[in-house]
Structures are given as structure tokens and as C-alpha cells.
Amino acid sequence: MTNAPHADHPTLALPPFLWGSATAAAQVEGAAHEDGKGDSIWDAFARVPGAIANGDDLEIAVDHYHRTTSDIAIMNELGLDAYRFSTSWARIAPDGRSINRAGLDFYSRLVDQLLETGILPWLTLYHWDLPQALEEHGGWTNRDTALRFVDYAETTYAALGDRVQHWTTFNEPFCSALLGYAVGVHAPGRRDEAAALAAVHHQHLAHGLATTRLRELGAQQIGITLNLTNAIPANPADPADVDAARRVDGIMNRLFLEPIVLGAYPADVVEDLAGLGLDTLVHDGDLATIAAPIDFLGVNHYHDDLVSGHPDDSGADGGHSGATEREAGSPWLGSPGISFPSRELPRTAMDWEVHPAGLRTLLVRLGREYPTLPPLYVTENGAAYDDVAAEDGRIHDVDRDAFIQDHIDQVELAIADGADVRGYFVWSLLDNFEWAYGYDKRFGIVRVDYQTQERTIKDSGLAYARRIAASREGSRPGR
Ligand code: IFM
């Protein structure tokens, strides 16, 4: 596959290694009901008492909708090659079907501004914000939603495909399907295990159908972003721990990778999830559709998972973010009593362990275990910490800085080991709405003052900029 520009419009040549930063529409845009945007499931979820910390909502978020020009200036100050953003389906098609021109125009202006300043737009179609109108017809449990997604992809491509080269169908379907439909901590807040499996399959189907359609329309760089982990048995000599790690690897990694890369659901996972109705969900031809060739795989990685096959009474949690999907008895991760012991490593403000070498392991393993995979991009990696502004107004976020730099070191080591990694996007450009945590957790390399919306590049952002500049010169900045 090539990166040749589409049609006659100028596009940017890809550098040998792409340095970027990422956000998502619902987390940064705000303007939640402006210019015709409809409710997404997250707007609706935010109205459920207790669903989001502090009763926070997405109405203003970090006002990116009105601040794209100055936010792009910050991206340029950082020296980014690429900006990974998502389009909001509910802004482009407020009821999930009819087109809102003003919504498309917003993204068209954003793309133009990025390209004018030399930044590559890296677009994700679905970063968790389904139009609420579609949720009211069953959301991702309804097979028809996959067809609506293809219409949305086609509409968005018709407006932006002359300028956007990189099209990502989904971001982290594990989270939107499982945390949204089985665990209920994410929108739409359902707790129904069979519904979650339906959501998984229909998102896979939507990915495959949209990939094929985008390809027919002329897109040349199409991919998906998965959040992947290293599931490590707490005691490799204990069969219960080994089986628990197999199960976690199956549900968090292989359930998502294998239909896309190999055209089949992993047999052991199908067995683990028996009784949830996968056989009736999968129609003839679905798996071939889902396995439509892709041009890149986005890898999001924040932490590993140490896994035990024994219940944990200590209350410790090795930094796993899935919360209650592992409750005893759940066919997802609970049975027969899986726990995530602590490795006594440092933790971020999300209580996720810090173990940069895990990223190298993951990237190398992916290439070895799935030799037909296309090139990899680390499309998210970063850390939340409770930043405090210093008296001089600067943010000396030493922990986040070390986290990012150490992980980039591991990406370089993975490449030296033979992993085909072509880029790194830090999560996130800006502090933003961290889903059920509201604005409590700050992931940005740029601080946002939520009262004034003032932006301040943190020390981690300044160091990231130095690293990007040095890599272009073939050197390495001092630490
Ligand atoms: O903020 C999220 C993002 O939306 C998806 N990946 C993980 C990030 C941190 O939790």
C-alpha cells in the first residue's frame, strides 16, 4: 500500500517516523449542542446522576471547537507532524442519519488549517460517541447500526477524503463495547453481557464494511486502533494463573485482533463466552467482511496486566482499568475468580502501573505473533498525574515527562528488535474530559485552566518538542 495523495489535492509526504498527539471529539470539543450537533450517548450519560465524577459534562469541555486556530498554533510550537482527532458522528449526523452541513464544515476547516501549517490530519471516525438517537434503537446491539456507520463514514469521506489520507474506523472497541454495554461505567451505561458481545461483533462488522466502502471510494490508508495489553501470569508455574492470563489475553487482545487480522474469532474465547449468543450474531460472510485488508494498526498502550487465577482478598489492583467486568461469575473476565495483583511498581493518577518496557514487549510480540499485520503506529500512550502549577505558572510534570520519554525509548528499542513501528502519538495534547472521571484526571502535555480555558505547555510537552526536534536532526536530547 502506498501513501499516494488522493485526487489532485496537495497532501503531506509522510516523514520516516511520525510524531503526533491525540485527542477525541467528545473529550475536547465542547459546543455540545451548537451548530446543529445532536446528543451523543456521552451527552445523555452525563445527565445520569452519579455517572460522571463531580457531575461533569461535555458542554464546554476544553472548547476546542472554538479554539482550533490557537490549538493548532500550539501543535506547531511542539513541532508535531500529525494530529490525531476524531469526528463526532452526532455533529455530522445529529440523529445518526441526516447530514448536518455545519458539522462537516467544522472538520473541513480543521483539516484545512492543519494542512496549511504542515500538520497531517489523522482522523478517527468512532471514538465512543454514538448518536443517542441510534442508541434509542438499540445502539451497537442492533446490527443496523453497522450499516448506519458505513453511511456516516461515506458522508465524512465525501467531505474530507480529498485532504485526509489516514482513516481510522474505531478507537478501542474493547472499551466502547465492553465498558459501555457489560460493565456500565461508560456510556450507554448498560450491564448486559450478551449485549456487550453483540456490540463487539457489530463494531467489527461496521469496521469491515466501512473499510471496504472507504477503499472503494479511494482511501488508501485505512486502519483501526486497538487498546492492547500484555497479560502476564502472576506465577507462570501455576496453571490457574496461566489460564487466567490466557483468558485476559483472549478477551482484551485476541477477540479484537483475530477477526480483523485472521478472519476468525479465537476458539478458546468463543468457548469462554459460550451462552452469550455469538453463533446467532455472526451471519454468513461477516468474518470475511471484517477481515478486509487494513493499511495500519493503531496500538494504544498504557499498562500491562499481571493476572492471577485466584480471587484477591487484599483489595490490590494491578492497575487494570476494566473495573467490574472481572466480577466473579462474569463470562467476560470474572470466572473463575480472576484478579490483577500488584507488581509494586509506581502508579499514575489513574492507579495504572508504570512499566515502560511493556510497550516494547507488546510491539515486538505483535509482529511475531501476527506476521501479516500492517505497519504499527502507537496511537496513544501517556499518563495522568495531578499537576500543580508552580509560582512561575509553569507545570513541572516530571512524572509525566519521564513516562513519555521512557516509553519512546522503548518504542525505539522495539524498532531495533524488528517491530515495524512508524509513529508515536502522545495522549493527550490537552487536559480534557476523561470519561467517567470527568475533568479530574489530567493527561495533557498542555495544561488547560478549566475556568479560563488558558493553555500552558507543560514541561513534558516542552521535552516532547525537544525530542521531536532532535529526532529530525538524528540526535537525542539530554534528559
Ligand atoms: O482518554 C482515554 C482515551 O479516550 C482512550 N484511551 C485511553 C485514554 C486514557 O484513559
Side-chain angles (χ1 to χ4, degrees):
M1 305 285 171
T2 68
N3 297 315
H6 172 255
D8 297 327
H9 290 267
T11 45
L12 301 171
L14 276 191
F17 189 85
L18 203 68
W19 295 102
S21 185
T23 65
Q27 294 179 272
V28 296
E29 283 179 5
H33 296 98
E34 224 173 292
D35 294 340
K37 180 182 167 291
D39 259 353
S40 81
I41 52 175
W42 276 93
D43 295 308
F45 193 54
R47 291 195 284 270
V48 175
I52 315 276
N54 314 312
D56 288 342
D57 62 35
L58 303 80
E59 291 299 325
I60 300 173
V62 296
D63 201 30
H64 185 57
Y65 189 80
H66 298 113
R67 292 169 193 264
T68 49
T69 308
S70 48
D71 286 343
I72 292 170
I74 293 172
M75 296 176 210
N76 276 292
E77 214 176 315
L78 294 169
L80 302 186
D81 294 313
Y83 175 46
R84 176 175 180 253
F85 64 98
S86 73
T87 47
S88 156
W89 188 347
R91 193 179 292 293
I92 290 177
D95 59 1
R97 294 158 198 270
S98 31
I99 299 171
N100 174 30
R101 202 66 246 171
L104 284 170
D105 289 348
F106 166 69
Y107 295 111
S108 190
R109 287 194 302 275
L110 172 68
V111 165
D112 280 345
Q113 283 182 294
L114 288 166
L115 289 171
E116 273 159 25
T117 62
I119 296 177
L120 186 90
W122 188 285
L123 187 151
T124 301
L125 285 163
Y126 191 76
H127 197 126
W128 307 355
D129 45 356
L130 184 74
Q132 175 64 15
L134 293 182
E135 180 55 31
E136 280 157 21
H137 289 95
W140 287 110
T141 68
N142 183 347
R143 191 175 168 96
D144 186 61
T145 299
L147 306 181
R148 301 287 70 78
F149 180 77
V150 181
D151 293 344
Y152 158 59
E154 189 166 340
T155 301
T156 309
Y157 188 83
L160 308 176
D162 56 346
R163 287 156 290 154
V164 173
Q165 290 178 60
H166 292 84
W167 292 81
T168 305
T169 54
F170 282 78
N171 178 73
E172 301 185 359
F174 169 87
C175 295
S176 51
L178 200 56
L179 303 186
Y181 287 84
V183 186
V185 294
H186 277 197
R190 292 181 57 179
R191 288 171 189 259
D192 175 342
E193 285 162 348
L197 189 58
V200 169
H201 183 66
H202 295 147
Q203 291 193 357
H204 279 328
L205 184 64
H207 157 79
L209 290 167
T211 297
T212 301
R213 189 71 192 115
L214 291 171
R215 181 94 57 213
E216 285 163 1
L217 292 170
Q220 300 192 20
Q221 284 292 314
I222 309 169
I224 187 166
T225 276
L226 302 177
N227 51 319
L228 300 170
T229 189
N230 297 303
I232 305 159
N235 175 0
D238 180 338
D241 290 0
V242 171
D243 191 58
R246 173 203 62 76
R247 197 176 178 107
V248 170
D249 176 61
I251 282 172
M252 298 185 72
N253 297 331
R254 291 181 287 115
L255 179 62
F256 295 89
L257 275 166
E258 296 195 0
I260 292 165
V261 182
L262 306 178
Y265 281 108
D268 61 318
V269 180
V270 173
E271 207 174 301
D272 290 342
L273 300 178
L276 295 187
L278 186 62
D279 44 345
T280 56
L281 291 166
V282 181
H283 296 191
D284 282 352
D286 280 6
L287 288 164
T289 300
I290 293 166
I294 53 173
D295 308 294
F296 61 86
L297 177 72
V299 177
N300 290 359
H301 182 74
Y302 290 86
H303 62 85
D304 296 336
D305 286 287
L306 189 72
V307 189
S308 157
H310 305 279
D312 180 8
D313 323 317
S314 72
D317 177 347
H320 185 263
S321 57
T324 55
E325 89 268 13
R326 60 181 181 273
E327 277 165 9
S330 161
W332 286 103
L333 296 180
S335 170
I338 291 176
S339 61
F340 296 85
S342 171
R343 281 197 284 190
E344 306 302 332
L345 291 165
R347 301 297 181 100
T348 69
M350 297 293 281
D351 203 23
W352 295 346
E353 67 171 29
V354 180
H355 184 244
L359 180 56
R360 173 188 187 179
T361 305
L362 177 66
L363 294 169
V364 171
R365 197 159 71 79
L366 279 170
R368 292 201 179 132
E369 291 177 13
Y370 300 97
T372 59
L373 269 179
L376 309 178
Y377 289 83
V378 176
T379 39
E380 281 183 33
N381 174 247
Y385 286 102
D386 299 328
D387 302 318
V388 180
E391 274 183 19
D392 58 2
R394 292 187 48 196
I395 315 295
H396 304 303
D397 56 337
V398 285
D399 291 330
R400 182 180 297 100
D401 181 18
F403 185 102
I404 294 169
Q405 297 297 327
D406 291 348
H407 280 80
I408 295 172
D409 290 347
Q410 295 297 324
V411 173
E412 289 179 352
L413 290 169
I415 294 170
D417 288 345
D420 185 5
V421 189
R422 307 275 178 97
Y424 175 91
F425 293 77
V426 71
W427 182 271
S428 176
L429 176 71
L430 303 163
D431 289 337
N432 61 46
F433 177 81
E434 178 55 24
W435 308 111
Y437 294 93
Y439 298 94
D440 270 357
K441 307 289 179 196
R442 292 177 177 271
F443 274 92
I445 55 171
V446 176
R447 180 178 175 84
V448 177
D449 178 323
Y450 293 128
Q451 303 308 315
T452 62
Q453 295 293 343
E454 190 187 349
R455 275 70 163 144
T456 307
I457 300 179
K458 302 179 190 177
D459 285 0
S460 60
L462 298 171
Y464 187 49
R466 287 195 296 276
R467 180 105 186 209
I468 295 172
S471 104
R472 290 200 184 111
E473 286 160 11
S475 66
R476 199 168 199 200
R479 297 274 292 271

